[in-house]
Amino acid sequence: DNMRPEVFGAYRALMRAARVTFRGDKPMIDAARKNARLEFAKHRNVTDEAEITTLVATAKDAADFLLKSIVQGELNDKGAYTMKPTPHNTVRYGEGTPTKI
């Protein structure tokens, strides 16, 4: 029970990271959130505090990865993808300029 706030905090961090990272892409937001819910449900009955601590750290790392490392691309009418990094992204490729993939 004393880990409950940390578990809920990690869950909220994942939900927020999905919303921010995939802003405007409802299918991706829904898929990321569904995956997070499934993972948390799968470990719902874990009682070992060390294991819970590891799971919370993993969830926080996943949220951090989503926010800092994933950049949503949009296909434009020229057949190129435009990357639109957010202020959260630590790695910036082209600062929003079209990138051909």
Side-chain angles (χ1 to χ4, degrees):
D1 260 353
N2 60 341
M3 297 291 298
R4 193 176 196 92
E6 291 179 47
V7 171
F8 282 121
Y11 183 80
R12 284 190 304 272
L14 268 174
M15 294 296 139
R16 179 181 174 276
R19 187 183 74 245
V20 170
T21 301
F22 303 118
R23 180 170 288 134
D25 188 345
K26 186 164 175 13
M28 283 301 298
I29 293 170
D30 291 346
R33 287 180 166 188
K34 179 180 180 182
N35 186 58
R37 280 192 300 273
L38 290 172
E39 284 300 312
F40 273 78
K42 183 167 65 173
H43 297 98
R44 174 175 300 235
N45 296 319
V46 173
T47 57
D48 179 64
E49 195 166 314
E51 188 175 352
I52 293 170
T53 299
T54 299
L55 291 166
V56 165
T58 300
K60 288 180 179 179
D61 286 348
D64 192 54
F65 180 82
L66 279 172
L67 285 172
K68 293 181 179 177
S69 302
I70 304 295
V71 178
Q72 190 85 358
E74 288 183 24
L75 184 62
N76 63 28
D77 57 352
K78 296 177 184 172
Y81 284 88
T82 301
M83 304 297 180
K84 296 181 180 176
T86 68
H88 299 284
N89 298 119
T90 55
V91 179
R92 297 183 184 274
Y93 296 105
E95 293 291 5
T97 57
T99 305
K100 186 84 170 187
I101 297 179

